[in-house]
Amino acid sequence: MSESLTGLKRSHYCGTVKKDLVGQEVTLMGWVHRRRDHGGVIFVDLRDREGLVQIVFNPEIGEELFQKAEAVRNEYVLAVVGTVGLRPEGTINPNLTTGEIEVAASEVRILSIAKTPPFYIDDEVDVDEMIRLKYRYLDLRRPIMQKGLMLRHKAIKVIRDYFYDNGFLEIETPMLTKSTPEGARDYLVPSRLHEGEFFALPQSPQLFKQLLMVAGMDKYFQLARCFRDEDLRADRQPEFTQLDAEMSFVEREDILTTMEKMIAQLFKKCLDVDIKTPLPRLSYQEAMERFGVDKPDLRFGLELVDVAEEVKDCQFKVFAQVLEKGGRVKGINATGCAHYSRKDLDDLTKLVGIYGAKGLAYFILTEEGLKSPIAKFFTQEQLERIVTRMEGKPGDLLLFVADEAAVAAAALGHLRLELGKRLNLINEEEFNFLWVVDFPLLEYDEEEKRWVAMHHPFTSPVEEDMPFMETEPGRIRAKAYDMILNGVEIGGGSIRIHRRDIQELMFKRLGISLEDAQEKFGFLLDAFEYGVPPHGGIAFGIDRLLMLMAGRNSIRDVIAFPKTQSAMDVLTQAPSSVASRQLKELHIKIKN
RNA sequence: GGAGCUGUGGUGUAGUGGCCUAACAUGCCUGCCUGUCACGCAGGAGAUCGCGAGUUCGACUCUCGUCAGCUCCGCCA
């Protein structure tokens, strides 16, 4: 049934056959996108990665060829030889880039027949994602998926070119490496030659790139596959690709400048979008105050407002008690939402509940005045001051959360995002970048009852904050920075500690003894005794960046073969059990 | 570890206790058709309603459990 390719060579991609080829003979290879059989004349849309072109089979071409065209079905793979011709008057298809021409077939070979696909190969089709993943090779035939992977290819090329042009060396680091404490759960690989011992797949090339700086490589970058055995999200896969970079003899601004230029070039060359540099910089503290999150989406307003001053003397116990305990009372003006129903308000209350808020207070502002179940706890003057502070006007809905600072911020921060969506305030075409800087060096882990590094233990503190190391560790700022795009963290990094005394202080503060540090990170500390350049770097999440560039909602749409939310590959059925012989070689026994 | 949403011919959906012998669209098969491009027309095949248990005279429909997918919380230095 299938015919040989022998003697045929593709002359053009289907999608590139244009008017300038009229009169020429072309040889095309591709998949049958659709067949339209008019009895006397048959049209076949032939598809390859560059697009569609219409093939015409006229009866005059001979019985054998015509019968072949009749037998063709969707997704058959064909080789077609034919002559490019202008379409007859009135049959031009403006929806097709190749719509002005068609190819009159003179020879066709059915290179491969195909079963009817489980879903139609088309951008419009909205198919269950598991079916898409099971038949990923069919899903990837859809033009939108092909565009995504082609964009990814181009982006990676532009990134490489940028780093090559700016004196960076591309260096590979090991995939089989040492499990280190702190951070995400490791994927472990058992060692056959060393019974009971394990490699870990890298969570990032962090320590290796610092060693490369000690080695004098000066500037390094790598497109590195990274692995973290944590639960998945729309923007998190257990294996993902980082653009990892590190530079020696630099300060924070050198890195930010180098990286934002790279991003600007990336967007210009891939999307023809101009990104204005330098990007705005926002301190962590200001981001949390104004937006409630450390990765604010600045495409719209609806900023958080602190109303502690206005409510501190009120009779509403919830607010008063929270303030007494050092918590925060903050609000957000849901502009024009005074008409929200009981159900709308319930939904929003449920939303803030996810982030730990115990309730959501509201003031409805109408022409007739202020309506609120808690209005009776405030004097008229207090109410007016709150409304003024919130810039409320008739038609608005004022929403308040009172809680400890972190809860109030998270609840209102996510409420803000929900309102931004509901009120249609987000311009989907916009690419809004910023740097968030001056992250705290440490945060207190309630479970472990100790201070932990917010970024990682090798992040340099801001020198002037060093005196707080013993007294107020939470106040120390780190020389760390994140790049944010449309409310998504696309990259983060820091200036590293390169002084042994500060590194020792850091370990001490984290409750890691020098012996422990030596055992876990000894190779790095040893290296640091042989002359370390001041250095720093950054890593970008390539999948997230591509997701945003392609305008998709999940990184799965820009990864060729992603995992499901339960970290399985439904196409290959991985993970799977292995032969007992394999386990034996690895000295591993399965319980049960 | 937890919460929510979803699961019905190949695909996407409708179906809120008997009207279901399960509907619609599309796809598929057969036939007709010489200018379509989501071609058209006529006919046909195709579903134990995710799985298991329960309630009921009767379950696609209600209850419980379970599995899978998605979204989120925790987690992700």
Side-chain angles (χ1 to χ4, degrees):
Chain A
M1 192 73 178
S2 299
E3 297 174 88
S4 159
L5 186 60
T6 306
L8 289 184
K9 195 165 173 56
R10 176 169 60 198
S11 67
H12 299 82
Y13 280 114
C14 297
T16 64
V17 182
K18 301 280 170 63
K19 236 163 141 180
D20 58 314
L21 294 174
V22 165
Q24 288 190 35
E25 186 181 80
V26 293
T27 304
L28 307 173
M29 316 271 168
W31 284 257
V32 173
H33 187 67
R34 220 185 276 272
R35 184 186 65 121
R36 290 177 295 278
D37 184 348
H38 287 253
V41 61
I42 296 171
F43 300 101
V44 166
D45 290 337
L46 200 64
R47 186 192 68 237
D48 60 27
R49 74 171 205 214
E50 303 298 330
L52 290 177
V53 68
Q54 176 166 282
I55 314 291
V56 192
F57 293 88
N58 283 299
E60 300 83 70
I61 57 178
E63 198 172 328
E64 192 198 346
L65 184 50
F66 198 76
Q67 275 174 359
K68 246 194 234 179
E70 281 182 320
V72 155
R73 293 292 179 272
N74 282 353
E75 302 308 314
Y76 276 31
V77 181
L78 304 184
V80 174
V81 182
T83 307
V84 181
L86 282 172
R87 292 193 182 191
E89 191 114 3
T91 64
I92 286 170
N93 184 351
N95 302 321
L96 223 54
T97 54
T98 59
E100 285 185 289
I101 55 90
E102 62 190 9
V103 175
S106 53
E107 184 184 352
V108 64
R109 291 192 202 165
I110 297 174
L111 301 177
S112 173
I113 60 167
K115 290 189 1 187
T116 302
F119 53 88
Y120 195 63
I121 312 298
D122 197 76
D123 285 352
E124 313 304 317
V125 192
D126 182 26
V127 189
D128 185 86
E129 192 157 357
M130 195 171 53
I131 294 167
R132 286 176 54 200
L133 291 176
K134 185 174 171 191
Y135 299 95
R136 190 61 160 177
Y137 41 89
L138 299 180
D139 191 34
L140 292 177
R141 285 182 191 170
R142 297 160 63 215
I144 191 171
M145 297 302 289
Q146 302 214 327
K147 261 182 233 151
L149 293 184
M150 284 156 90
L151 175 67
R152 188 171 179 130
H153 158 79
K154 188 166 183 195
I156 283 170
K157 177 174 176 355
V158 171
I159 287 168
R160 281 214 161 93
D161 287 345
Y162 178 86
F163 282 105
Y164 295 159
D165 292 346
N166 283 275
F168 284 76
L169 302 179
E170 185 172 12
I171 301 171
E172 291 168 279
T173 53
M175 298 292 271
L176 295 176
T177 177
K178 185 181 168 71
S179 178
T180 51
E182 316 251 337
R185 195 176 293 115
D186 283 321
Y187 271 99
L188 296 176
V189 179
S191 163
R192 175 178 60 84
L193 296 175
H194 302 273
E195 181 170 352
E197 298 189 346
F198 296 82
F199 293 102
L201 301 178
Q203 293 179 29
S204 84
Q206 182 61 38
L207 300 176
F208 287 106
K209 70 175 173 178
Q210 291 192 247
L211 291 173
L212 288 171
M213 294 302 102
V214 178
M217 294 302 158
D218 194 63
K219 292 186 209 167
Y220 139 97
F221 86 102
Q222 180 183 192
L223 288 151
R225 193 66 65 84
C226 302
F227 305 85
R228 296 180 188 175
D229 189 4
E230 297 293 348
D231 287 350
L232 292 82
R233 290 286 188 282
D235 62 355
R236 264 168 36 192
Q237 286 268 309
E239 63 178 307
F240 59 101
T241 304
Q242 271 190 357
L243 163 60
D244 193 47
E246 196 80 3
M247 304 165 78
S248 293
F249 308 110
V250 291
E251 297 187 274
R252 188 187 80 182
E253 275 307 308
D254 300 311
I255 294 173
L256 300 194
T257 304
T258 305
M259 297 305 154
E260 62 196 13
K261 278 187 193 154
M262 182 271 295
I263 291 290
Q265 193 167 116
L266 177 66
F267 275 69
K268 184 65 189 172
K269 290 192 172 171
C270 291
L271 302 176
D272 197 27
V273 167
D274 291 300
I275 304 296
K276 214 182 119 214
T277 56
L279 302 178
R281 281 117 216 244
L282 199 65
S283 74
Y284 171 86
Q285 197 183 351
E286 191 177 349
M288 294 304 287
E289 281 299 326
R290 292 172 56 195
F291 305 101
V293 292
D294 62 0
K295 44 179 182 173
D297 189 339
L298 301 189
R299 287 177 297 176
F300 64 102
L302 296 185
E303 292 189 22
L304 279 47
V305 179
D306 189 312
V307 292
E309 192 57 34
E310 285 71 20
V311 306
K312 68 175 193 286
D313 296 319
C314 76
Q315 298 298 308
F316 187 44
K317 275 192 188 151
V318 174
F319 284 7
Q321 283 170 358
V322 162
L323 288 176
E324 256 169 54
K325 279 189 259 172
R328 309 290 298 271
V329 179
K330 297 182 82 171
I332 190 168
N333 182 343
T335 317
C337 294
H339 63 278
Y340 268 24
S341 65
R342 181 76 241 174
K343 185 180 179 305
D344 289 322
L345 290 165
D346 282 349
D347 287 347
L348 296 180
T349 305
K350 226 176 269 172
L351 178 78
V352 296
I354 294 172
Y355 304 95
K358 289 171 248 346
L360 184 66
Y362 59 89
F363 290 179
I364 299 167
L365 305 185
T366 68
E367 295 291 351
E368 293 77 44
L370 185 154
K371 286 189 238 166
S372 169
I374 60 166
K376 60 189 174 203
F377 299 113
F378 298 84
T379 66
Q380 192 58 38
E381 196 213 333
Q382 285 170 339
L383 290 175
E384 277 166 23
R385 284 183 63 200
I386 295 168
V387 172
T388 305
R389 175 93 174 99
M390 301 286 299
E391 296 176 16
K393 53 188 188 311
D396 290 351
L397 173 69
L398 309 184
L399 299 162
F400 303 92
V401 170
D403 218 304
E404 56 181 270
V407 171
L412 286 168
H414 287 90
L415 181 63
R416 173 178 174 268
L417 290 176
E418 172 64 20
L419 290 169
K421 272 179 221 155
R422 285 190 183 213
L423 297 174
N424 238 335
L425 300 176
I426 298 170
N427 174 7
E428 298 289 347
E429 305 293 304
E430 188 182 342
F431 292 101
N432 190 305
F433 287 89
L434 74 146
W435 290 105
V436 173
V437 298
D438 293 335
F439 278 81
L441 183 72
L442 302 160
E443 57 186 344
Y444 194 72
D445 187 317
E446 292 291 346
E447 258 180 51
E448 295 192 38
K449 302 282 179 221
R450 68 176 182 106
W451 290 92
V452 297
M454 194 161 182
H455 189 54
H456 60 57
F458 309 103
T459 300
S460 174
V462 171
E463 278 90 356
E464 59 183 275
D465 292 349
M466 283 299 290
F468 302 118
M469 195 58 110
E470 290 304 321
T471 51
E472 274 185 88
R475 191 169 159 184
I476 306 167
R477 288 167 298 168
K479 291 184 184 173
Y481 33 80
D482 280 356
M483 189 187 279
I484 310 301
L485 169 54
N486 294 353
V488 177
E489 180 199 328
I490 55 167
S494 63
I495 297 295
R496 325 299 181 188
I497 298 170
H498 77 285
R499 278 170 51 183
R500 183 160 184 127
D501 55 334
I502 295 180
Q503 187 64 65
E504 284 179 8
L505 266 176
M506 184 71 174
F507 282 138
K508 194 177 158 204
R509 182 69 268 178
L510 294 172
I512 300 173
S513 69
L514 284 185
E515 297 79 59
D516 278 355
Q518 193 60 37
E519 190 204 320
K520 288 158 180 167
F521 305 110
F523 59 99
L524 185 74
L525 297 177
D526 289 349
F528 274 24
E529 301 208 46
Y530 291 93
V532 200
H535 62 288
I538 193 166
F540 288 89
I542 288 294
D543 311 285
R544 283 185 190 173
L545 190 54
L546 261 298
M547 168 182 84
L548 295 169
M549 289 175 78
R552 309 303 297 269
N553 293 319
S554 165
I555 60 171
R556 291 187 299 274
D557 286 335
V558 291
I559 296 173
F561 300 103
K563 307 272 186 289
T564 66
Q565 191 166 40
S566 59
M568 294 197 323
D569 179 346
V570 290
L571 194 153
T572 63
Q573 292 288 308
S576 58
S577 54
V578 296
S580 53
R581 209 194 82 222
Q582 289 175 289
L583 288 177
K584 207 173 157 193
E585 282 177 340
L586 295 169
H587 324 287
I588 285 180
K589 209 176 253 171
I590 307 290
K591 278 170 75 178
N592 305 327

